[in-house]
Amino acid sequence: MREILGRRRRLLSWRIGRKSDQSPALLGAAITFATEWHWPVLPGVGIDSQVRRAIDTEGDRRCACPDPECGFPGAHPLDPGLLAATTDERMVRWWWTNRPGAPVLLATGGRAPCAVSLPAAAGARALAALDEAGVRIGPVVATPARVFILVAPYSMEQLGALLYAKDWVPGSLRFHGDGGYVALPPSETGRGQVRWERAPLRGSAAPWVPDVEAVVDAVVDALTRTGVSAPEL
């Protein structure tokens, strides 16, 4: 019974929001993504202030959602759901006024960018190899655990044909397409701060992003040439 009541209290306080969690930077970023770049966004569930100090065995902070074993602490939708993602400024302002500390989530796919991600160590080596090879990439998002390379929208058929043509693809290479989401800077999640590894150029236009084929081809080639070991993948 105590566990159930505890979950309810955490969920209630997450919905209400707290003044101590206010972050103008999050609201400003969300508005820029939605209105200037036309990227559909929504608030993530976040880390409830009552459980910020609750650390699990892996060092992650507890998610504010009712699931005590949440695998994506703070960095996933709950209420509203993913389908509520919008570019409407009034809705964005309302969300982050009521939940000022909520992570900013990009709903990937459709007309919005998608992403390709790797574990942090492999991602860093892949980016270095891409730079050395002169491959042009767009914005890159990083967390303590993973690196996310933003790419142009793609279909499942396009992705399937791309992977089928490869002799080898890293097992931890993840694809965030239609129906997916990625936390954007300057969000804070249960696994740490979200930041720009490669920041978009300043300006009102939406940042350029490469095609998924170019990124996957270059990443797989780079990791093959640099001999990334199995634990890094």
Side-chain angles (χ1 to χ4, degrees):
M1 178 62 72
R2 290 181 180 177
E3 182 179 356
I4 294 175
L5 291 176
R7 292 182 188 178
R8 289 177 177 175
R9 283 195 294 269
R10 291 198 298 270
L11 185 58
L12 178 60
S13 61
W14 156 68
R15 285 176 172 168
I16 292 174
R18 294 178 178 272
K19 294 296 183 181
S20 61
D21 289 337
Q22 286 190 354
S23 175
L26 285 167
L27 173 60
I31 290 176
T32 295
F33 301 145
T35 64
E36 297 183 12
W37 298 358
H38 306 290
W39 291 2
V41 297
L42 77 161
V45 62
I47 302 300
D48 188 278
S49 60
Q50 292 184 355
V51 295
R52 284 184 183 274
R53 297 179 182 176
I55 308 295
D56 67 14
T57 56
E58 296 182 355
D60 295 337
R61 284 182 291 177
R62 288 276 299 276
C63 187
C65 77
D67 182 2
E69 299 180 357
C70 178
F72 302 95
H76 66 86
L78 181 61
D79 183 8
L82 185 61
L83 293 179
T86 184
T87 58
D88 182 78
E89 181 177 353
R90 293 173 298 176
M91 191 74 250
V92 170
R93 285 189 180 277
W94 188 87
W95 277 334
W96 271 274
T97 297
N98 287 276
R99 296 170 51 195
V104 182
L105 301 185
L106 164 68
T108 55
R111 296 183 178 180
C114 296
V116 174
S117 74
L118 282 162
R125 293 181 66 173
L127 290 178
L130 295 178
D131 288 342
E132 184 177 354
V135 177
R136 183 187 179 193
I137 57 176
V140 178
V141 175
T143 71
R146 297 190 72 82
V147 170
F148 301 79
I149 304 173
L150 299 187
V151 298
Y154 57 79
S155 66
M156 292 303 296
E157 292 78 11
Q158 184 180 2
L159 178 61
L162 173 62
L163 297 181
Y164 182 77
K166 295 293 179 188
D167 294 328
W168 173 81
V169 174
S172 64
L173 183 63
R174 296 178 185 170
F175 298 89
H176 310 265
D178 285 333
Y181 53 87
V182 171
L184 295 175
S187 302
E188 184 178 0
T189 74
R191 291 180 175 167
Q193 190 73 35
V194 182
R195 61 181 176 80
W196 293 114
E197 179 67 26
R198 304 291 174 87
L201 297 177
R202 294 184 179 274
S204 59
W208 174 86
V209 290
D211 291 335
V212 67
E213 292 92 346
V215 169
V216 172
D217 287 346
V219 165
V220 171
D221 289 346
L223 294 181
T224 301
R225 285 187 286 103
T226 56
V228 174
S229 61
E232 292 178 302
L233 298 177

